[in-house]
């Protein structure tokens, strides 16, 4: 790439920081498109003329959202090229909801036109003919996963041609909506709510879903797990908490103030904001999460025991400090589990796979917070867990996670705490609908016993600040 070659450096140290990377060439091979957040908070898209050796002046930026993912391999798929001219026409991105930024002024006008036809929905122009008289649209958001339409512009005619997941009847789905607000400290928090069609309690309980983990991507407006949880009667809140990708360097760097505390504080701020806009039972707030989101779901019980009533954690690493270390041996260099757990499982569990570049970059970023001591371990703070817990693990995916969850189960049982332990089968790993349905049925039974049960004392209403 000539004079720009020295500017495109990628390492584990700058992956989550300030850098630039190439995206592709225009129909004119002298024009190179690249992404950069150098000197700014979010990634924009720019063009460089390799012949003139200077920027072209063309660019797309957003002050709050990265217009491309951090992974250069994924970033190329966000670019939209006009098949007739070969020129870059625009870029697709995801913030609070999916959106498109157009370089092509005619396509920008058509985008505005179709947006008005589908209020409170996100509309993507997927394809169009050379004359730009017929367009394929994907309309998503709200209560359903999405539909494909053909827009015949001369006749101003919209034709419904295909539904995503047509077996899901709209009447049986739970309504969803995005939300956004600023905390008292000025942090911008966004996310999505899924509201139950019906709940056995009035007002309904609230579920905080941490499933995107510590550094997740912007969450989708429609998610099948959120639908399943809302079907249990919950208001489900999925939060783009600080530290996640897609909202600029400052949003990611906020995690350095406390990798466990910051997401939990954002959850508390969301609860406070929701209390002003939706009715829910503040005595019945549960947490849920997968992976490092499961870690947050359990850590929230330890950090804020007055706010949360119970937790469900799927495949959660319970000691992030150990998770940050290279995988040496069967259980890593130092495993915070009881000896009897290791003796029972060491012979049957395979070695952990090596860490790839993206995992190493995430480890490097989190390690720079200098807060990954043993005090962040759920196991070290397990004596503070007084609430019911459900632990779900895959017995073959990660031996460290299995050992840690088994150890937590033992610790809680020794104190006569309510803890349910479930091992996933091979059918779940293969996404078999019947197996996934059975797992969510077990989760619902856990909530029925520990949250909905009128015999369970949930305590007085507490003010969450």
């Amino acid at each position: 790439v000539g004079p720009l070659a020295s500017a495109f450096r990628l390492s584990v140290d700058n992956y989550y920081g300030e850098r630039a990377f190439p995206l592709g060439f225009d129909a004119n091979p002298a024009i190179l498109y690249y992404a950069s957040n150098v000197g700014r908070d979010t990634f924009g898209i720019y063009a460089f003329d390799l012949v003139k050796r200077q920027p072209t002046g063309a660019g797309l930026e957003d002050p709050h959202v990265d217009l491309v993912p951090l992974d250069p391999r994924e970033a190329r798929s966000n670019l939209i090229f006009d098949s007739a001219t070969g020129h870059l026409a625009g870029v697709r991105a995801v913030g609070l909801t999916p959106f498109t930024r157009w370089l092509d002024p005619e396509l920008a006008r058509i985008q505005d036109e179709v947006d008005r036809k589908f209020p409170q929905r996100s509309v993507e122009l997927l394809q169009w003919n050379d004359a730009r008289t017929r367009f394929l649209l994907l309309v998503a958001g709200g209560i359903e996963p999405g539909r494909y339409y053909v827009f015949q512009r001369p006749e101003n005619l919209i034709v419904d041609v295909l539904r995503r997941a047509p077996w899901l009847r709209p009447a049986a789905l739970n309504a969803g909506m995005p939300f956004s607000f600023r905390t008292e400290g000025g942090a911008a928090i966004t996310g999505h709510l899924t509201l139950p069609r019906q709940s056995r309690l009035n007002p309904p309980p609230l579920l905080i879903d941490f499933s995107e983990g510590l550094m997740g991507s912007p969450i989708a407006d429609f998610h099948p797990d959120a639908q399943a949880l809302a079907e249990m009667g919950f208001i489900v809140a999925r939060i783009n908490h600080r530290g996640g990708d897609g909202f600029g360097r400052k949003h990611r760097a906020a995690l350095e103030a406390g990798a466990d505390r910051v997401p939990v504080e954002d959850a508390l701020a969301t609860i406070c904001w929701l209390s002003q806009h939706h009715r829910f039972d503040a005595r019945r707030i549960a947490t849920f999460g997968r992976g490092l989101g499961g870690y947050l779901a359990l850590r929230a019980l330890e950090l804020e025991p007055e706010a949360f009533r119970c937790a469900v954690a799927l495949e959660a690493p319970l000691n992030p400090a150990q998770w940050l270390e290279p995988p040496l041996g069967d259980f890593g260099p130092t495993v915070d589990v009881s000896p009897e757990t290791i003796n029972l499982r060491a012979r049957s569990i395979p070695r952990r796979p090596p860490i790839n570049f993206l995992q190493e970059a995430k480890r490097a970023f989190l390690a720079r917070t200098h807060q990954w001591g043993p005090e962040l371990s759920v196991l070290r703070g397990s004596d503070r867990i007084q609430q019911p817990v459900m632990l779900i693990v895959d017995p073959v995916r990660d031996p460290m996670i299995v050992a840690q969850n088994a150890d937590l189960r033992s610790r809680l049982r020794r104190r006569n705490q309510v803890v349910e332990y479930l091992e996933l089968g091979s059918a779940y790993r293969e996404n078999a609908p019947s197996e996934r349905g059975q797992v969510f049925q077990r989760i619902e039974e856990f909530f029925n016993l520990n949250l909905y049960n009128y015999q369970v004392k949930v305590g007085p209403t507490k003010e969450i600040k």
Side-chain angles (χ1 to χ4, degrees):
V1 293
L4 288 182
S6 62
F8 297 144
R9 296 192 183 97
L10 179 63
S11 68
V12 295
D13 293 324
N14 72 4
Y15 185 82
Y16 289 101
E18 189 175 273
R19 60 187 171 93
F21 57 89
L23 294 170
F25 290 94
D26 191 72
N28 176 0
I31 303 300
L32 172 69
Y33 293 106
Y34 64 98
S36 176
N37 66 351
V38 177
R40 51 179 288 108
D41 186 39
T42 58
F43 272 104
I45 295 178
Y46 309 93
F48 191 89
D49 190 318
L50 298 176
V51 174
K52 297 180 180 179
R53 300 195 174 193
Q54 63 183 24
T56 66
L60 292 169
E61 297 177 343
D62 187 285
H64 308 295
V65 175
D66 291 316
L67 293 184
V68 293
L70 299 180
D71 188 340
R73 297 169 300 178
E74 298 178 1
R76 298 186 187 97
S77 63
N78 284 41
L79 303 183
I80 310 169
F81 288 89
D82 189 310
S83 59
T85 66
H87 295 303
L88 181 67
V91 60
R92 305 192 198 285
V94 179
L96 178 58
T97 57
F99 66 96
T100 305
R101 284 292 178 85
W102 295 102
L103 276 172
D104 189 301
E106 182 182 13
L107 292 174
R109 290 193 297 270
I110 296 171
Q111 181 75 60
D112 291 338
E113 190 175 337
V114 295
D115 283 344
R116 289 193 296 270
K117 296 179 182 296
F118 297 96
Q120 299 181 335
R121 297 288 189 273
S122 61
V123 184
E124 294 184 34
L125 305 181
L126 298 180
Q127 296 177 1
W128 51 87
N129 60 358
D130 292 350
R132 297 187 176 180
T133 58
R134 184 177 297 127
F135 296 81
L136 178 63
L137 313 178
L138 172 59
V139 181
I143 199 171
E144 61 180 6
R147 293 177 183 245
Y148 293 92
Y149 295 86
V150 170
F151 173 42
Q152 298 180 191
R153 196 181 184 202
E155 298 86 358
N156 193 27
L157 178 65
I158 298 282
V159 180
D160 187 344
V161 294
L162 185 66
R163 284 181 55 199
R164 282 179 170 176
W167 56 89
L168 297 177
R169 296 182 297 108
L173 295 175
N174 303 282
M177 64 184 67
F179 67 86
S180 64
F181 67 95
R182 286 195 173 273
T183 66
E184 292 183 358
I189 306 299
T190 63
H192 287 271
L193 294 179
T194 306
L195 306 175
R197 291 181 297 112
Q198 55 187 9
S199 178
R200 64 198 71 180
L201 297 179
N202 186 19
L206 173 65
L207 184 70
I208 300 295
D209 185 352
F210 288 108
S211 286
E212 289 303 315
L214 293 175
M215 302 179 69
S217 302
I219 57 179
D221 46 5
F222 179 92
H223 197 281
D225 286 0
Q227 287 288 322
L229 295 167
E231 199 66 25
M232 300 176 193
F234 285 100
I235 295 177
V236 182
R238 295 175 295 133
I239 307 168
N240 290 316
H241 60 72
R242 288 171 293 166
D245 295 343
F247 298 92
R249 288 188 294 118
K250 293 178 182 178
H251 190 268
R252 283 191 295 274
L255 203 63
E256 296 178 8
D260 58 342
R261 169 58 65 179
V262 167
V264 173
E265 286 180 350
D266 290 349
L268 294 179
T270 300
I271 293 170
C272 182
W273 181 85
L274 286 174
S275 68
Q276 303 170 29
H277 298 83
H278 298 272
R279 292 184 67 245
F280 61 87
D281 189 342
R283 301 171 302 167
R284 288 181 168 89
I285 303 177
T287 61
F288 178 91
R290 297 177 181 275
L292 285 171
Y295 162 78
L296 292 175
L298 295 170
R299 190 70 176 136
L301 300 186
E302 298 177 342
L303 295 176
E304 297 291 339
E306 296 297 324
F308 303 107
R309 180 65 186 84
C310 60
V312 174
L314 289 81
E315 301 181 75
L318 305 185
N319 183 359
Q322 179 187 332
W323 181 81
L324 288 172
E325 296 171 345
L328 303 177
D330 283 350
F331 290 96
T334 54
V335 180
D336 188 8
V337 294
S338 59
E340 60 269 23
T341 302
I342 295 179
N343 292 336
L344 286 173
R345 293 183 174 272
R347 295 182 180 179
S348 61
I349 299 177
R351 296 172 64 88
R352 297 176 61 203
I355 292 178
N356 60 33
F357 174 83
L358 294 182
Q359 291 172 317
E360 185 66 26
K362 183 175 292 187
R363 288 198 319 106
F365 175 85
L366 294 174
R368 286 197 294 273
T369 65
H370 304 296
Q371 298 184 38
W372 291 100
E375 66 276 4
L376 267 71
S377 169
V378 170
L379 293 169
R380 295 294 177 92
S382 62
D383 59 333
R384 285 179 282 171
I385 297 180
Q386 305 296 323
Q387 308 91 325
V389 167
M390 183 176 189
L391 306 174
I392 304 175
V393 298
D394 185 328
V396 302
R397 181 165 293 179
D398 191 318
M400 179 185 71
I401 290 176
V402 174
Q404 289 179 349
N405 278 261
D407 192 32
L408 179 60
R409 173 186 60 175
S410 298
R411 296 182 187 211
L412 296 179
R413 282 182 173 176
R414 285 197 293 268
R415 293 177 23 236
N416 294 319
Q417 290 297 116
V418 176
V419 54
E420 184 169 345
Y421 190 85
L422 174 64
E423 290 192 347
L424 301 172
S426 60
Y428 186 91
R429 290 191 296 274
E430 296 168 358
N431 290 319
S434 59
E435 181 72 12
R436 292 181 63 84
Q438 291 175 16
V439 170
F440 274 87
Q441 185 176 2
R442 290 285 299 274
I443 293 173
E444 184 173 18
E445 291 171 357
F446 170 80
F447 286 133
N448 287 343
L449 291 173
N450 300 290
L451 195 69
Y452 283 110
N453 190 342
Y454 287 96
Q455 302 301 318
V456 175
K457 296 181 180 180
V458 295
T461 300
K462 300 288 186 180
E463 181 180 359
I464 305 299
K465 296 184 179 179

